[in-house]
Structures are given as C-alpha cells and as structure tokens.
C-alpha cells in the first residue's frame, strides 16, 4: 500500500489518527487479516540512536545497565528521560562484553503504537529497521557471500529517499556503529524517487571513509549490504560494480536467495521479511533489542 502524503514526515508519524484509519481501511480489504498474528514493528533507522562499547565481564544486572546507560548518554544526543532505552549484550571477548545501547524518543514510539495497534496484530517486538535487514542477510545469504570471521564487521546500508543509515554489525549480530546521511532525492513522478549521481557518490565516499577508519583500528569490513527500494536504482548498481576498492558493496538482492521472492521484492519487502522472521521465531530472537519491554 502507498501512504497518502502528510501522514509521515522525515520518518516520523505526524498524523497518527489518520494513519491508523488508513491502515484499518486497507486491512478490511484483505481476507488474510481475519486472524491474530504475532507482529514486529520497525522503527526507521534515522530515528534510532545507538552507542556500542566493551564493558567488563564482571558487571551484572543493574550495575551493568547503569554503566551502559551512563556511557551511552555521553554519545547519544537526546536526553534519556525523554527516550526509550534498551541495553543489549553480545559476544564476550578477551577485552570485555560487546554492549550496545539503543535509544529512540518516546514520542516516536508512542505515535507508531497509536498508528498500528489493531486486534489483528499481537505486537511482540519493536526494533530498528537495519536489524531486520541484517537478520534477512544472516538467514538467506548465499554461501559465497557469508562473512564469518569474528574480527570483521558487516555493513548494512538502509537506503531511503531522504535518509540513509550506515550500520555496522559483528557477524554475531552486535551493533557497533551507526551513521545517518540526510539528503533529498529528485522525483520522476509522485511515487518514484531517483538517486542522483552526486548523492550516490556521497554514499560511496562516506562508506569508504568509514571502512578506512575501522581499517586503521585493525578491523576489516569486507562486505557492505545495500537494502531498501532505492538500493536497486541504476546509479547505485553502477557504483556497486566499481572494482577499485578493497571491500565488496552489493545490493541485498544479489547476496541472498529467498524461495518465491524475486530480486525486486527483496528490496521492497526485505525489511518486512526480516521482521517476520522475528515474529515467527520469537524465542530464537528474544535476546535482541526490543523497545516494547
């Protein structure tokens, strides 16, 4: 479904009542939505802040949470009393435990809940969009495109028509870095956005700078995964074919194989499929960050 203009602006719901009414009307058209379904709701990456660091292994429970939140507030530019905070722990290493704090404004979450609370949806998780794309990659990546080395990171680039976020994950799924780029794509029609060569060059330049920064820290980023509808545009695909760089950058449709889903659908519905994996395998992914708890 295509949303009417003015309901969502800058990845933020601004007319929750109208959006709720629109979605409700669309649901009534679908016989599929006559039951109750476990549901994962995705927050646009541009509205999620994160900070990642190593904490001592001896920290537990409340002490760990307080230490993590204290560290994160120094890096995240929103007051935590106005935010929903999630502390997530990942792999243990010699230097400590990889810990990530996710934060998003309470208003963002409340407006999403106001818009998508229906009896057909049993909400089980509320997470960042890039996490769903990363989950899709982990589940369906073609063998030759899998990255497994513990000392490497995997880049997930969520390409939109006004915001694009570059996120880095460990192969185990811990978020290590996130940066959002703001831009404005040109429009061929009311429903189609086109990334200019200038915009794509900015993406590639920013990604290259990030890769070089982490390389200087002796951390490799061998693969950059591009998700989102705009990731399959001509200019972006042309940039992906450049052979001169020392890392691989590819649209997610070239990296995964999903039964019954074509390449265009991977870009349109990729994040939704990643979210559905969490909804249907709640116990398996229960350790991952979730803004509703």
């Amino acid at each position: 479904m295509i949303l009417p203009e003015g309901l969502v602006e800058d990845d933020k719901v601004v007319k929750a009542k109208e959006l709720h009414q629109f979605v409700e009307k669309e649901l009534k058209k679908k016989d599929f939505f006559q039951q109750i379904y476990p549901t994962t709701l995705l927050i646009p990456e541009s509205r999620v802040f994160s900070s990642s660091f190593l904490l001592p292994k001896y920290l537990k429970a409340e002490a760990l949470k307080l230490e993590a939140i204290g560290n994160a507030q120094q890096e995240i530019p929103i007051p935590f009393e106005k935010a929903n905070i999630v502390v997530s722990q990942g792999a243990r290493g010699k230097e400590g435990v990889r810990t990530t704090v996710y934060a998003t404004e309470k208003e963002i979450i409340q407006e999403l809940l106001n818009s998508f609370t229906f009896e057909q949806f049993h909400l089980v998780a509320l997470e960042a969009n890039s996490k769903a794309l990363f989950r899709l990659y982990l589940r369906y990546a073609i063998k030759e495109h899998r990255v497994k080395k513990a000392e490497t990171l995997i880049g997930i680039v969520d390409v939109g028509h006004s915001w694009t976020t570059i996120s880095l994950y460990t192969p185990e799924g811990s978020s290590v870095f996130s940066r959002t780029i703001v831009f404005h794509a040109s429009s061929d029609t009311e429903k189609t956005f086109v990334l200019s060569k200038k915009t794509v060059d900015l993406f590639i330049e920013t990604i290259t700078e990030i890769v070089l920064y982490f390389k200087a820290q002796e951390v490799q980023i061998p693969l950059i995964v591009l998700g989102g509808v705009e990731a399959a545009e001509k200019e972006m695909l042309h940039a992906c074919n450049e052979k001169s760089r020392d890392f691989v950058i590819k649209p997610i449709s070239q990296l995964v194989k999903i039964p019954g889903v074509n390449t265009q659908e991977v870009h349109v519905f990729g994040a939704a499929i990643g979210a559905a994996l969490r909804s249907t395998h709640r116990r398996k992914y229960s350790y991952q960050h979730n803004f509703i708890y």
Side-chain angles (χ1 to χ4, degrees), residues 214-252:
F214 277 90
K215 186 176 182 180
Q217 313 302 315
E218 300 185 347
V219 178
Q220 302 298 315
I221 308 174
L223 177 64
I224 303 292
V225 182
L226 301 178
V229 177
E230 285 77 8
E233 285 191 5
K234 183 178 179 180
E235 284 291 346
M236 189 65 80
L237 293 175
H238 178 74
C240 290
N241 291 326
E242 174 61 53
K243 305 296 184 183
S244 62
R245 56 184 76 98
D246 61 356
F247 60 91
V248 174
I249 178 169
K250 287 184 178 293
I252 195 169

Side-chain angles (χ1 to χ4, degrees), residues 246-274:
D246 61 356
F247 60 91
V248 174
I249 178 169
K250 287 184 178 293
I252 195 169
S253 59
Q254 295 181 15
L255 301 171
V256 303
K257 185 175 182 180
I258 308 172
V261 181
N262 63 42
T263 56
Q264 179 62 21
E265 289 172 336
V266 169
H267 285 282
V268 175
F269 303 112
I273 296 171

Side-chain angles (χ1 to χ4, degrees), residues 30-165:
K30 312 291 184 182
D31 292 336
F32 178 77
F33 289 106
Q34 301 305 311
Q35 303 178 46
I36 297 175
Y37 298 92
T39 304
T40 294
L41 191 59
L42 300 179
I43 305 178
E45 198 71 29
S46 62
R47 292 295 177 176
V48 178
F49 297 89
S50 65
S51 180
S52 179
F53 35 78
L54 294 172
L55 288 183
K57 298 178 184 179
Y58 63 79
L59 287 175
K60 305 293 183 182
E62 192 63 23
L64 182 147
K65 183 177 180 180
L66 289 173
E67 182 76 12
I69 290 175
N71 287 353
Q73 181 64 99
Q74 298 179 48
E75 302 292 333
I76 295 176
I78 58 173
F80 279 6
E81 62 267 20
K82 296 182 179 180
N84 277 38
I85 311 297
V86 179
V87 178
S88 178
Q89 285 205 291
R92 289 175 171 265
K94 294 181 180 179
E95 299 179 356
V97 183
R98 172 60 60 181
T99 304
T100 304
V101 175
Y102 298 88
T104 189
E105 294 170 291
K106 292 179 180 179
E107 180 186 4
I108 299 295
I109 290 180
Q110 190 56 55
E111 293 303 282
L112 281 170
L113 294 176
N114 290 343
S115 303
F116 293 97
T117 298
F118 296 94
E119 62 179 12
Q120 296 98 323
F121 299 156
H122 171 52
L123 192 60
V124 299
L126 188 59
E127 66 179 5
N129 198 74
S130 70
K131 189 64 175 182
L133 287 171
F134 183 70
R135 188 179 300 120
L136 181 77
Y137 163 78
L138 285 186
R139 174 65 179 80
Y140 292 109
I142 301 168
K143 186 176 181 180
E144 57 266 32
H145 294 306
R146 293 184 178 275
V147 176
K148 297 182 179 180
K149 292 184 179 180
E151 64 273 16
T152 63
L153 298 175
I154 301 167
I156 301 292
V157 183
D158 185 11
V159 184
H161 59 259
S162 60
W163 303 76
T164 288
T165 301

